[in-house]
Amino acid sequence: MEASAEAQSRFEAVVANEQRVEPRDWMPDAYRATLVRQIAQHAHSEIIGMQPEGNWLTRAPSLRRKAILLAKAQDEAGHGLYLYAAAETLGVDRAELTEKLIDGRQKYSSIFNYPTLTFADVGVIGWLVDGAAICNQVPLCRCSYGPYARAMVRICKEESFHQRQGYELLMTLMAGTEGQRRMVQDAVDRWWWPSLMMFGPPDGASPNSERSMAWRIKRHSNDELRQRFVDMTVPQAEILGVTLPDPALAWNEERGSWDFGEPDWSELMQVIKGQGPCNAQRIDRRRAAHEDGAWVREAASAYAAKHGRKGSAQ
Amino acid sequence: MTDDHVYLSLADAAGEPDGEARWAYGTGFADPLLGVDAAPPEGVDPADLAAYCLMLGDDALVLSQRLIQWITRAPELEEEVALANLGLDLLGQARRLLTRAGQLDGTGRSEDELAYWREDFEYRNVRLVELENGDFAQCVARLLMFATARGELYRRLTGHADPVLAAVAALGVKELAYHREYAHSWTVRLGDGTEHSRQRMQAAVDALWPWLDELFTPHEAELRLGVDPSELRDTVLAGLAEVLDEATLSVPEAAPRAYVNGRAGRHGVHTEALGPLLAELQVVARAHPGATW
């Protein structure tokens, strides 16, 4: 539909005045497409992100830790549901987005393509991965698109709780046996650099950033958020008693921030291109669940059609 | 509005102090039994009561572990959420019951010592809950059978002389009512859905039906405690028949699975499925003896 000049200027005014764009408002096609891409990717990340930690659900070494991890997995499935619902307000549907995920047309956060090798990974994911996610996501609570912003408020609250639980697990392990402390350091060594890369490529190499900033979808550059994460995390690592695996890490008095080394971007590019340790495994699991469940979803639809009400499955 | 300092903004958005409200689905870890009198009731043998709590606790723990194995494999995201929720409920029941068993049996073992450091022949769950998951129809059929029977049992136990058991049952009644409703709705949708789903749902009910009888077969401790599970049989079977009828399925006429020298799950004689389940559950804890998690 051709936009009237009036609709266009109304949209621009809403964004410029920090008001919210709502589903029935006119919006530029490219704005809609950017949001669909970003929200879908975020929803997929929540769902795929259940797998690395889910790997430890059956083996959690205390019933309390098992309950905490199970509640977290449940939260993540819930986050996926809110986010798919937010995407649906833009005129796409969940089934279509799921198809795009499992045939590789849409992406999810590359962090979930790394393996979880010990129970300490559960704590480190909570601390570093959820911590980085929070840095990325808190600004989204003020995103210009209303349904996304509102979903993010709730999601951020729960993510911050997960982060604290992760940190509390690590504190417990660091106060434990030599074996437990070794597990924590090993997990930190493996997850530190991938966590820094969660903020995306350096500003100079981030093609979509500028327009998203203008639309108030994005608020801070990748490098700003990365710096914020490092500044927040270094003191936490000290309290914990772990060493962050970066010899270049040093306090910069002048900037009032921590200097840090350059992540291995070529490794990140490999993971993004599908060559990460777990890319195939994660998608295979998601595809298997989707395909194995097809007969169940069909049955629910058939039942709903017969009985004139909607089944809870799609 | 505050700028995007991570924690300031969070506090701003949350508008509430840290704590329980941050959980998506209200999963508290405060002990709901706090303040309930923990002394064993008069006229009840603590060893029998401990054995009974262990049976019920092991049922809940093992079925919870089976539900957890569904996570990331469910047919739809709503089912991921629901199965996790059911698993959490059962895990909560298991923790309270195992804790109670450890208080009463004189060993003072914690929930974790009981869960992680017993061998499979020391587990007291019925065999129904330990069987391999199978497909979603089997998941639903097992939930329907277990929740119908356990809900009815908890309803009766809310008046038990042991205040702790009565409190566990009172909490559990509401949870099991939801589990049964969930299983009921899916039994009906699959049974009365497509021809393919009807066949699969019937096959699942047929496969699990022979294991149902063990839930109604009394252990000697149950008889001494006056909680004979055979009294549940008629009510539970009638409830199941009603759901199966609504789902256009037939009630199987299958003979119960035999015992081994008169012994089954309640006496620690299990199927081959339990060993691997426990090996997985216990592996990390056993690799770090004495560690705190």
Side-chain angles (χ1 to χ4, degrees):
Chain A
M1 193 176 68
E2 190 69 25
S4 69
E6 196 197 345
Q8 177 81 39
S9 65
R10 196 161 48 231
F11 169 82
E12 281 164 12
V14 164
V15 170
N17 295 329
E18 297 283 340
Q19 292 167 310
R20 299 284 165 264
V21 177
E22 296 298 336
R24 279 188 245 179
D25 297 345
W26 181 86
M27 61 189 85
D29 291 344
Y31 175 85
R32 185 185 299 272
T34 297
L35 280 166
V36 167
R37 183 178 60 85
Q38 181 170 336
I39 299 173
Q41 183 167 325
H42 193 165
H44 299 329
S45 299
E46 295 284 354
I47 300 307
I48 296 291
M50 293 166 69
Q51 291 183 32
E53 289 172 291
N55 181 33
W56 291 93
L57 274 170
T58 55
R59 293 176 288 171
S62 80
L63 297 185
R64 176 170 173 270
R65 293 291 174 201
K66 190 188 283 283
I68 290 172
L69 194 53
L70 184 51
K72 183 178 177 187
Q74 188 189 29
D75 285 350
E76 285 164 348
H79 295 173
L81 280 170
Y82 317 146
L83 288 164
Y84 284 122
E88 286 182 331
T89 65
L90 292 160
V92 290
D93 72 44
R94 199 209 307 180
E96 171 193 338
L97 298 177
T98 302
E99 293 294 337
K100 285 184 174 166
L101 168 66
I102 60 186
D103 66 21
R105 281 178 291 157
Q106 285 181 340
K107 298 203 176 302
Y108 54 90
S109 176
S110 285
I111 194 74
F112 302 120
N113 289 321
Y114 292 89
T116 53
L117 301 178
T118 72
F119 192 70
D121 288 36
V122 169
V124 170
I125 286 177
W127 174 41
L128 297 180
V129 174
D130 293 337
I134 291 167
C135 288
N136 269 329
Q137 290 172 6
V138 164
L140 292 173
C141 298
R142 298 196 291 122
C143 161
S144 60
Y145 188 59
Y148 191 29
R150 289 187 289 274
M152 290 317 303
V153 170
R154 180 160 181 188
I155 290 172
C156 282
K157 279 200 269 182
E158 290 168 3
E159 294 288 356
S160 87
F161 197 50
H162 298 161
Q163 195 209 12
R164 264 175 269 185
Q165 285 174 327
Y167 194 67
E168 189 264 336
L169 169 58
L170 296 179
M171 290 294 275
T172 305
L173 299 186
M174 290 305 286
T177 65
E178 184 52 38
Q180 288 175 303
R181 279 193 292 279
R182 213 170 33 233
M183 281 167 70
V184 175
Q185 185 61 56
D186 166 66
V188 169
D189 290 345
R190 283 182 288 110
W191 288 96
W192 174 250
W193 291 109
S195 300
L196 287 189
M197 292 191 269
M198 285 176 70
F199 298 94
D203 291 350
S206 180
N208 298 316
S209 285
E210 202 174 319
R211 198 170 55 176
S212 287
M213 300 262 263
W215 278 335
R216 307 278 208 273
I217 294 173
K218 201 176 158 96
R219 300 261 170 190
H220 305 283
S221 78
N222 295 351
D223 287 334
E224 278 167 22
L225 291 167
R226 195 170 1 255
Q227 180 70 59
R228 180 173 295 180
F229 173 72
V230 171
D231 289 347
M232 183 179 95
T233 306
V234 171
Q236 294 170 350
E238 282 169 7
I239 294 168
L240 203 53
V242 295
T243 307
L244 297 174
D246 179 0
L249 202 61
W251 178 249
N252 183 323
E253 194 67 54
E254 205 172 309
R255 293 197 303 123
S257 266
W258 290 85
D259 291 337
F260 56 97
E262 192 69 15
D264 180 352
W265 297 112
S266 66
E267 192 179 282
L268 178 68
M269 284 317 295
Q270 284 182 301
V271 178
I272 289 174
K273 281 193 237 149
Q275 297 150 18
C278 302
N279 296 58
Q281 175 189 335
R282 302 291 186 236
I283 289 294
D284 286 351
R285 168 74 66 83
R286 185 71 194 98
R287 183 186 297 114
H290 189 66
E291 288 173 359
D292 292 349
W295 71 276
V296 174
R297 297 189 299 275
E298 282 158 20
S301 303
Y303 180 83
K306 271 190 239 182
H307 294 270
R309 50 200 159 92
K310 199 178 177 313
S312 83
Q314 294 201 334
Chain B
M1 193 177 281
T2 53
D3 192 15
D4 299 319
H5 184 281
V6 175
Y7 293 120
L8 290 181
S9 310
L10 273 175
D12 194 44
E16 65 196 23
D18 300 347
E20 293 299 308
R22 290 181 182 275
W23 283 98
Y25 297 90
T27 305
F29 293 102
D31 180 3
L33 302 184
L34 208 66
V36 174
D37 185 2
E42 271 183 51
V44 173
D45 179 351
D48 281 343
L49 193 52
Y52 188 50
C53 289
L54 206 54
M55 294 175 202
L56 302 185
D58 287 348
D59 286 347
L61 178 60
V62 172
L63 185 53
S64 170
Q65 182 79 355
R66 284 297 182 210
L67 288 173
I68 287 170
Q69 291 174 339
W70 269 100
I71 303 302
T72 72
R73 295 177 169 85
E76 191 50 288
L77 298 183
E78 284 82 354
E79 276 41 72
E80 296 282 356
V81 175
L83 295 175
N85 193 12
L86 269 52
L88 264 175
D89 286 346
L90 292 169
L91 184 55
Q93 292 167 24
R95 294 178 62 192
R96 292 172 208 128
L97 288 161
L98 294 185
T99 300
R100 184 60 174 154
Q103 283 170 353
L104 291 166
D105 73 1
T107 62
R109 282 176 292 179
S110 67
E111 60 181 49
D112 286 338
E113 285 169 303
L114 286 166
Y116 292 93
W117 296 93
R118 279 181 301 149
E119 305 300 318
D120 50 3
F121 59 84
E122 297 172 287
Y123 265 71
R124 291 291 179 264
N125 56 282
V126 293
R127 295 173 297 178
L128 174 70
V129 297
E130 75 203 26
L131 301 173
E132 298 275 359
N133 273 335
D135 67 3
F136 188 68
Q138 278 176 274
C139 172
V140 166
R142 171 155 59 187
L143 279 172
L144 181 71
M145 292 176 191
F146 183 79
T148 304
R150 189 50 38 98
E152 179 59 22
L153 176 66
Y154 279 162
R155 195 180 66 74
R156 294 167 188 227
L157 288 176
T158 54
H160 194 269
D162 179 33
V164 178
L165 187 54
V168 170
L171 286 164
V173 161
K174 292 177 213 145
E175 294 170 344
L176 270 298
Y178 169 67
H179 299 193
R180 181 168 191 273
E181 178 48 41
Y182 179 78
H184 175 170
S185 70
W186 271 112
T187 303
V188 171
R189 271 189 227 138
L190 296 180
D192 193 16
T194 62
E195 180 50 31
H196 177 71
S197 70
R198 201 188 70 77
Q199 283 172 16
R200 286 179 78 155
M201 193 64 227
Q202 184 70 59
V205 172
D206 291 350
L208 293 174
W209 202 262
W211 303 98
L212 182 59
D213 195 65
E214 196 179 342
L215 278 168
F216 310 128
T217 307
H219 182 274
E220 51 278 10
E222 291 175 295
L223 295 176
R224 286 193 297 270
L225 289 166
V227 288
D228 181 352
S230 65
E231 291 170 9
L232 304 173
R233 186 192 305 263
D234 292 348
T235 312
V236 172
L237 291 180
L240 292 174
E242 206 174 301
V243 175
L244 295 180
D245 183 58
E246 189 188 341
T248 73
L249 299 170
S250 52
V251 177
E253 288 176 26
R257 285 278 169 220
Y259 284 26
V260 179
N261 302 318
R263 292 148 58 89
R266 295 293 190 227
H267 291 97
V269 178
H270 292 280
T271 66
E272 291 178 356
L274 185 64
L277 178 145
L278 291 181
E280 187 178 16
L281 186 139
Q282 296 172 334
V283 62
V284 179
R286 289 186 174 213
H288 299 265
T292 300
W293 302 92

